[in-house]
Amino acid sequence: MTRACILIQALSGRGKTFRSAEGGKPLYLAPEPKCRLTVKAINPEANVVPLDTLIDFNKAIALVQKPELVDKGYTRIVLDSYSELTELMPEWLQMGFPLQIQDYGTIGNKAMELVRALMKSPIPVVIISRSEAKEQGKVHRIVPGSLGKSAASLPAKCILTAETRFDDNLGWVLDTNPDEYTQRAGLPWVPSIFTGSMDEFLALVEAGPTATTVTTARRIEAAGKAADAMQAEREAPKTAGEVFAQMPLPEPTPVSPEAAAFVDGLTPVAWCSPEECVEVTDLAGRHMPKLLGALASYLHAKGAMPDPKNWTRLTKEGHAKILPHLTDEQKRRGLIAHLNKQYAANAA
């Protein structure tokens, strides 16, 4: 079976990597160092294969054609990006500088070896290309970009060319609406504006003209749900300050004068270094090990430790105020007594 091979193009920062990486289990060929840092964060199931050398490139040609990719559960292959791949070729092929005219043809022919291998893959393929503006007559068109002109042939080799962009109501979408300014080219049975996952999009492409396409009513319903979700996300708190501002205030509890002085001095604006956090936890562990969790809860309740399970998130002022209570015997006994009283349930 011939699997779908589609081209995704857009300017930098327009969601190409995000839309291609999310969902499923992609085998991700990554000439671009930038995308390697983000793909695993977007999709922990992704297997990122760096392409740093000509040896990596040749191994990738063999890898993408292996039938066992299906058995290993991969749902698609992504090349991110063809543009970067061509830009690495002069170094890999040890070309001189400046490049000669014939070098560009060599670069394109070599990069196309991987494209031809991808078209023989047992699973669907997404090829990403950065867009660039080309002046054709009096019109500036957005076309796939590369070192040389080889990227210009990608739309003809791929079954579909889509552009990623952000829609105010739908979020990140795949757009295949053709126009005179881009090389977008869709298929009659595939929605021209698509909001689902990349695997769903590829499945629609492969289903062919007999596929059940999304009806107008379902598109409107999906658009409404997406718009509601986007609005809820916009209204949701984004920063730690907004989150804390929306939290209910804790019930007031009586505290000792020393504890009150400690709390009054807290201003959580700077964080302890790892060494300072270790100092506090070591002292607490030696002198009050049974109350270590209670101490964390106490600091958390007073705003000095946002995450009661993460001692590295302790404020510098919290460290400065709590340290005397852990090093002075009398203050330590008072703090232990206070924690025993206020947080008996946590210490039990």
Side-chain angles (χ1 to χ4, degrees), residues 96-168:
F97 183 83
L99 296 176
Q100 304 301 308
I101 293 177
Q102 62 270 21
D103 291 338
Y104 294 103
T106 302
I107 291 168
N109 291 336
K110 192 65 178 178
M112 280 295 167
E113 290 181 14
L114 180 54
V115 173
R116 287 191 289 271
L118 287 168
M119 291 179 176
K120 299 175 184 177
S121 171
I123 57 178
V125 172
V126 178
I127 298 175
I128 293 176
S129 174
R130 294 195 301 269
S131 294
E132 59 184 28
K134 290 285 186 181
E135 187 173 349
Q136 297 180 350
K138 295 183 178 181
V139 176
H140 281 82
R141 301 190 68 195
I142 303 299
V143 299
S146 62
L147 184 60
K149 299 180 179 180
S150 60
S153 65
L154 288 175
K157 295 181 182 296
C158 297
I159 191 173
L160 174 149
T161 299
E163 182 179 356
T164 52
R165 62 177 180 82
F166 187 80
D167 183 274
D168 288 338

Side-chain angles (χ1 to χ4, degrees), residues 45-68:
E45 293 296 313
N47 181 11
V48 180
V49 180
L51 301 186
D52 290 322
T53 66
L54 190 59
I55 294 175
D56 295 336
F57 175 80
N58 291 328
K59 286 181 178 178
I61 289 176
L63 173 63
V64 299
Q65 300 178 73
K66 290 184 176 181
E68 52 263 37

Side-chain angles (χ1 to χ4, degrees), residues 8 294 300:
I8 302 293
H300 173 65

Side-chain angles (χ1 to χ4, degrees), residues 29-238:
L29 307 181
E32 290 204 16
K34 180 179 70 172
C35 79
R36 301 173 199 171
L37 301 175
T38 56
V39 168
K40 291 295 285 187
I42 296 169
N43 185 353
E45 293 296 313
N47 181 11
V48 180
V49 180
L51 301 186
D52 290 322
T53 66
L54 190 59
I55 294 175
D56 295 336
F57 175 80
N58 291 328
K59 286 181 178 178
I61 289 176
L63 173 63
V64 299
Q65 300 178 73
K66 290 184 176 181
E68 52 263 37
L69 292 177
V70 177
D71 299 330
K72 292 182 178 180
Y74 292 112
T75 56
R76 65 187 179 279
I77 299 174
V78 180
L79 171 59
D80 191 355
S81 66
Y82 182 85
S83 310
E84 182 72 15
L85 181 66
T86 61
E87 292 169 6
L88 293 173
M89 283 295 170
E91 178 184 349
W92 293 355
L93 301 177
Q94 298 181 343
M95 293 178 168
F97 183 83
L99 296 176
Q100 304 301 308
I101 293 177
Q102 62 270 21
D103 291 338
Y104 294 103
T106 302
I107 291 168
N109 291 336
K110 192 65 178 178
M112 280 295 167
E113 290 181 14
L114 180 54
V115 173
R116 287 191 289 271
L118 287 168
M119 291 179 176
K120 299 175 184 177
S121 171
I123 57 178
V125 172
V126 178
I127 298 175
I128 293 176
S129 174
R130 294 195 301 269
S131 294
E132 59 184 28
K134 290 285 186 181
E135 187 173 349
Q136 297 180 350
K138 295 183 178 181
V139 176
H140 281 82
R141 301 190 68 195
I142 303 299
V143 299
S146 62
L147 184 60
K149 299 180 179 180
S150 60
S153 65
L154 288 175
K157 295 181 182 296
C158 297
I159 191 173
L160 174 149
T161 299
E163 182 179 356
T164 52
R165 62 177 180 82
F166 187 80
D167 183 274
D168 288 338
N169 294 320
L170 301 177
W172 290 106
V173 301
L174 291 167
D175 186 350
T176 57
N177 272 319
D179 62 36
E180 61 177 314
Y181 302 108
T182 72
Q183 288 190 287
R184 294 194 300 254
L187 295 167
W189 62 90
V190 177
S192 55
I193 303 295
F194 190 80
T195 59
S197 71
M198 183 58 71
D199 283 343
E200 291 171 336
F201 187 73
L202 291 166
L204 270 177
V205 172
E206 291 190 336
T210 59
T212 302
T213 57
V214 180
T215 65
T216 301
R218 287 175 62 193
R219 288 190 197 182
I220 293 174
E221 180 184 1
K225 290 181 179 179
D228 291 342
M230 289 295 295
Q231 183 63 28
E233 184 178 345
R234 282 192 287 266
E235 294 175 354
K238 297 296 190 303

